[in-house]
Amino acid sequence: MWQRVRSEWPLLVAVLAAIAGFGLEHTWLSAGRLVTSIITVLLVVIIVAAAMRVSTHAEKLAEKVGDPYGTMILTLAAVLVEVLILVIMIHNEASPTLGRDTVYSAVMLDINGIIGLSALLGGFRHGEQPYNDDSSRSYVVMIMTAMGISMLLPAVIPAHDSMVFSCFDIVAMLVLYSVFLRMQTGPHSYFFSFNYPDKRKKKVKKAQNAIATTSLTQTSSQQSPTPTPSNTGESNTGESNTGEEVHHEAPTSVLWSVVVLVVGVILTGILAEVMSSGMNTSLKGLPVPPMMVAIVVALISASPEILTALRAALANRMQSVINIALGATLSTVVLTIPVIEVIGLYQGQRVNMALDPVQTVMLSLTLIIAAINLNDGETNAIEGMTHFVLFATFVALSILGV
């Protein structure tokens, strides 16, 4: 037990940081811009570390349940962290465009950043990397629909009808995602896993050939039959014991992962409250582009996904990269935007989700290129480079404040 607690040292540090941050909030916020900025940066690092522990345990749960449920756990954990941080930031800053900029930044980071870098590095190591193109096409068309309704159409909706359209958008996104989840976990679950019948047949044939070869070898050498029952018995016993051990250890492991995941999400929300105050004080009066705050929020929630996707790409598991990146994008759009709009309606504030012209061009390029690149069931370094260049362009435009 103590070893498990000790292995969660990032969360223990997060607890101490939360206590110190709230207890000494007035002191460090009034200690000057430099001190406040340093503490804010440290809080961001601690939040990222806590989010990574949340992602680690979400990944463990994902391995137990398998796809597509595993990918859902990973993406929903990341989106939950993002929604918590974003809600707290909006509550403290009351910015009408922070939600829009954060969702837009998350989409750029997930599609162009994660897929671009993963396909680029994976392509250099493995060449063409296969995946189930049914999953990519399903994700991309859902993302296009959700972003078109939630972030492109609001630009042409009259101001006096914006609240009515927000109500419609909330219902539309929830219905869209609920139907998608029903299909993802039911009739079309095979869309989101890399299992092909011909590959399974080849594996079965290889296994059968290997068994036949082993039998012929044993028959020709006329080995004594005594070791065979003994080995078989030991093997069966070992498998039985192993199965029993797994059966007894699994509930404890799952329970521990669930507890740590919940605690990590709560700690992330508490630290986000402290970080928000520090960030507002540090950036007050400075010529920092508003988009940079949104990028920080998106990067905090996506940092665990980036590491998980890169490991999967280098291990030649591009299906996991597609599920993580596009699943996170879809979850961010259809779950975060309704939450933002509900908060706006509750507070009586206008929430601007309409993309500006530059964001519209970047989003259109991203979705068009993704629809082309992710349509053939294989990625390569060239496709990865196109997305990564788009991500670099997004970063450059954000720094310039365009």
Side-chain angles (χ1 to χ4, degrees):
M1 182 65 180
W2 171 244
Q3 290 181 348
R4 285 186 172 182
V5 174
R6 190 170 56 182
S7 66
E8 306 299 337
W9 64 266
L11 296 182
L12 298 178
V13 173
V15 172
L16 296 177
I19 296 173
F22 273 111
L24 304 174
E25 183 174 9
H26 179 73
T27 302
W28 65 272
L29 286 178
S30 59
R33 190 188 300 273
L34 179 60
V35 175
T36 303
S37 300
I38 293 174
I39 294 177
T40 302
V41 171
L42 289 176
L43 286 173
V44 171
V45 173
I46 293 172
I47 291 175
V48 170
M52 286 185 176
R53 291 308 301 167
V54 170
S55 176
T56 298
H57 286 278
E59 195 171 351
K60 290 179 180 179
L61 292 175
E63 290 176 358
K64 292 182 179 299
V65 300
D67 280 331
Y69 300 98
T71 301
M72 288 169 51
I73 294 174
L74 284 172
T75 56
L76 290 178
V79 170
L80 182 57
V81 170
E82 181 180 37
V83 168
L84 269 177
I85 296 175
L86 188 56
V87 167
I88 292 170
M89 296 286 289
I90 291 176
H91 176 73
N92 291 339
E93 190 175 341
S95 172
T97 60
L98 179 60
R100 177 200 70 184
D101 294 342
T102 301
V103 173
Y104 167 71
S105 300
V107 172
M108 293 294 109
L109 186 59
D110 289 334
I111 297 181
N112 291 328
I114 294 179
I115 293 181
L117 189 58
S118 297
L120 183 62
L121 297 180
F124 283 145
R125 171 172 289 189
H126 301 287
E128 293 181 337
Q129 295 184 279
Y131 59 90
N132 189 341
D133 55 347
D134 287 327
S135 60
S136 60
R137 286 199 294 265
S138 299
Y139 275 128
V140 170
V141 73
M142 291 287 292
I143 293 168
M144 284 183 170
T145 303
M147 297 209 72
I149 294 173
S150 299
M151 305 190 78
L152 295 180
L153 274 181
V156 297
I157 300 296
H160 60 274
D161 293 329
S162 60
M163 296 188 71
V164 176
F165 185 78
S166 293
C167 294
F168 165 78
D169 188 39
I170 293 170
V171 176
M173 292 301 101
L174 294 179
V175 171
L176 193 68
Y177 196 56
S178 62
V179 173
F180 178 78
L181 286 182
R182 174 70 181 86
M183 295 296 103
Q184 187 183 26
T185 58
H188 298 318
S189 60
Y190 61 93
F191 279 13
F192 306 92
S193 60
F194 189 58
N195 294 318
Y196 293 106
D198 58 338
K199 287 182 177 271
R200 287 200 298 268
K201 290 177 181 177
K202 290 178 181 179
K203 289 181 179 180
V204 170
K205 287 182 178 179
K206 287 182 179 179
Q208 289 174 347
N209 292 336
I211 293 172
T213 303
T214 303
S215 300
L216 289 174
T217 304
Q218 290 178 348
T219 302
S220 61
S221 60
Q222 295 181 353
Q223 292 180 347
S224 174
T226 306
T228 304
S230 176
N231 291 337
T232 305
E234 291 176 3
S235 176
N236 291 338
T237 305
E239 289 176 0
S240 177
N241 292 338
T242 304
E244 289 179 2
E245 288 177 2
V246 172
H247 179 72
H248 289 301
E249 290 179 2
T252 305
S253 178
V254 169
L255 179 60
W256 179 258
S257 295
V258 171
V259 170
V260 173
L261 194 150
V262 172
V263 171
V265 169
I266 294 174
L267 280 174
T268 301
I270 295 174
L271 288 173
E273 175 72 28
V274 183
M275 180 199 70
S276 176
S277 301
M279 189 173 291
N280 291 336
T281 303
S282 302
L283 300 180
K284 189 174 183 179
L286 294 179
V288 178
M291 182 63 72
M292 299 310 295
V293 177
I295 292 177
V296 170
V297 176
L299 188 59
I300 289 173
S301 62
S303 54
E305 295 174 345
I306 296 173
L307 296 178
T308 303
L310 288 179
R311 287 197 300 265
L314 293 175
N316 201 20
R317 292 186 289 108
M318 186 52 62
Q319 183 64 55
S320 296
V321 177
I322 297 298
N323 287 348
I324 290 171
L326 297 184
T329 302
L330 180 61
S331 299
T332 297
V333 176
V334 299
L335 296 180
T336 305
I337 291 178
V339 171
I340 296 171
E341 291 181 331
V342 166
I343 293 173
L345 292 173
Y346 176 76
Q347 295 180 345
Q349 298 177 351
R350 182 175 179 271
V351 177
N352 182 15
M353 296 304 301
L355 298 175
D356 62 34
V358 175
Q359 292 173 336
T360 301
V361 172
M362 284 296 299
L363 178 65
S364 300
L365 282 173
T366 296
L367 294 180
I368 291 172
I369 293 174
I372 296 172
N373 285 343
L374 302 177
N375 191 49
D376 58 354
E378 287 183 334
T379 61
N380 54 61
I382 296 176
E383 294 176 353
M385 194 63 200
T386 58
H387 282 291
F388 193 69
V389 167
L390 281 177
F391 178 70
T393 305
F394 157 72
V395 174
L397 293 174
S398 300
I399 294 174
L400 294 174
V402 177

